[in-house]
Amino acid sequence: MDAAPLEPTVLFHRPGASHLERLLPEVGGTVGFRMHPWEGSKGHGDLVLRGRLVQGPAVMGDERPFEKPSAHAVGGTPHDTHLHAIHCALEAIESGSIEKVVLSSHLTVEAPGLEAEAIVRRLSQAHPDSFSWMVRHPDIGTWFGSSPEPLVQGQWPTLNTACLAGTRMAHTGAQSDPWTDKERHEQQLVTDSVLDALRDCGCRNITVGDRMTVRYGPIEHLRTMVSFDAEGGLADIMGALHPTPAVGGTPREAALDYIAQLEQHDRAYYTGWVGLEDGEDIAYFVNLRCGALNGDRLTAYAGGGITRGSDPEAEWQETRNKLRSALDPIVHWPE
């Protein structure tokens, strides 16, 4: 007997909220939840679900102790494949063809008893200041993720966006070592690109916040928030901002060409964007730290920005650290 088709389900957590929210599908619903794929994805399209919102379960509450299932790797990007791509990217950077390119890898693990709705709650607990979500739909299967990076957020037309780049393991002491010149340069590339895009769109009252360190599980990033008043349409602004150098590279078109040449997997919805519109309230996030669930198998994605001076082995380890930040709330992955 064929399996029953998946019922459309959307469950998500807004940054800082105490409860999850659920979208109840409804024809003509006032709220639209949208998943937009990576621009170079083949066979994955926009998913838009309309409905109304209801309060879901509390993020924290009385519950039995959670014992994470053990996971073992069953597939993914080989170490040598990723390092070869990085070496090719560094040659392109040295030749002057590009300044930065983001190269990703994926990992598939197998673990028993994974439940999609439990995953989004665990992600919300682990990353309370991020946008965590789960979508189940017959057209795409089950996807989930958690992102600390707003792409466009606010109440139209006053919006903000995040310029996020640079990655290192989080510090636990009272003091933190300075970020390296390479990491600051990588983050500045993103900020400069975002400012250029907003100016080209005619946006007004552009204000750049302070560069800050933000933590995401066991890792931390540099982030600068930019606020602005939108001009024109939302689609124009989204298209101008995305993909930013944080997920693609710079110059944009050249970097996207290199990604298409060097990556041997389809990013699908990874590094696209995800979120919702409710009237004039807009909350779209870059789709980082995401994955797909298929039975007992979970496929997660991670990437890193390659710039002049990048060390290939360190870049590989960065992708492992990012994968761990996505997997640790869900499974025990001994690597």
Side-chain angles (χ1 to χ4, degrees):
M1 181 180 295
D2 293 337
L6 293 175
E7 289 293 328
T9 303
V10 176
L11 192 64
F12 65 92
H13 171 256
R14 300 179 197 259
S18 61
H19 285 73
L20 302 181
E21 293 177 74
R22 188 182 300 275
L23 180 78
L24 296 182
E26 189 175 84
V27 176
T30 59
V31 180
F33 191 96
R34 184 174 179 183
M35 279 181 64
H36 182 78
W38 169 247
E39 273 68 8
S41 176
K42 300 177 178 63
H44 294 83
D46 251 354
L47 179 71
V48 181
L49 293 172
R50 302 206 67 83
R52 59 185 176 89
L53 298 179
V54 297
Q55 182 173 287
V59 173
M60 307 298 293
D62 294 332
E63 58 186 274
R64 292 176 296 173
F66 174 65
E67 185 173 342
K68 292 188 293 187
S70 294
H72 64 278
V74 294
T77 305
H79 171 268
D80 290 347
T81 299
H82 193 68
L83 261 60
H84 174 71
I86 294 173
H87 283 294
C88 292
L90 288 171
E91 290 176 2
I93 292 168
E94 190 63 31
S95 73
S97 302
I98 51 173
E99 189 170 2
K100 173 186 176 180
V101 61
V102 178
L103 296 177
S104 69
S105 65
H106 69 290
L107 172 72
T108 299
V109 300
E110 191 169 69
L114 297 174
E115 297 180 0
E117 296 201 11
I119 286 176
V120 68
R121 187 174 178 191
R122 297 296 170 189
L123 290 173
S124 303
Q125 292 171 344
H127 309 300
D129 296 323
S130 293
F131 181 78
S132 300
W133 56 274
M134 181 278 293
V135 172
R136 185 166 52 220
H137 192 275
D139 290 347
I140 66 167
T142 301
W143 280 77
F144 64 90
S146 186
S147 175
E149 184 176 356
L151 178 62
V152 174
Q153 184 180 30
Q155 188 171 47
W156 186 268
T158 301
L159 306 169
N160 61 71
T161 187
C163 309
L164 184 143
T167 303
R168 67 184 183 188
M169 295 305 293
H171 291 256
T172 56
Q175 293 184 333
S176 177
D177 296 332
W179 288 84
T180 67
D181 289 342
K182 173 188 175 296
E183 292 159 336
R184 289 195 298 270
H185 174 65
E186 183 181 349
Q187 198 270 339
Q188 191 62 46
L189 287 175
V190 178
T191 303
D192 292 343
S193 173
V194 165
L195 293 175
D196 288 343
L198 293 175
R199 294 184 188 113
D200 289 345
C201 283
C203 295
R204 299 174 293 106
N205 300 326
I206 300 171
T207 302
V208 182
D210 294 333
R211 179 186 283 171
M212 302 179 66
T213 299
V214 294
R215 184 163 179 171
Y216 184 90
I219 59 179
E220 55 190 14
H221 305 286
L222 284 169
R223 186 176 73 182
T224 301
M225 298 300 297
V226 177
S227 62
F228 59 96
D229 287 339
E231 288 288 331
L234 177 61
D236 293 336
I237 293 171
M238 301 284 279
L241 289 174
H242 190 270
T244 73
V247 296
T250 186
R252 178 193 283 188
E253 295 305 322
L256 298 186
D257 287 344
Y258 275 103
I259 291 171
Q261 295 172 32
L262 297 174
E263 291 188 354
Q264 298 184 12
H265 58 276
D266 190 336
R267 291 189 181 188
Y269 291 99
Y270 169 65
T271 58
W273 41 267
V274 60
L276 66 153
E277 292 179 52
D278 184 359
E280 293 185 341
D281 291 326
I282 299 164
Y284 285 122
F285 293 76
V286 180
N287 199 358
L288 303 176
R289 316 294 187 271
C290 73
L293 179 64
N294 185 8
D296 288 343
R297 292 198 169 189
L298 184 159
T299 299
Y301 299 79
I306 312 303
T307 58
R308 188 183 303 275
S310 288
D311 175 75
E313 194 61 48
E315 296 292 344
W316 167 260
Q317 188 56 51
E318 179 177 315
T319 66
R320 301 300 95 181
N321 294 339
K322 289 177 177 176
L323 287 167
R324 184 167 298 285
S325 72
L327 293 174
D328 267 359
I330 307 165
V331 297
H332 174 63
W333 173 46
E335 199 171 356

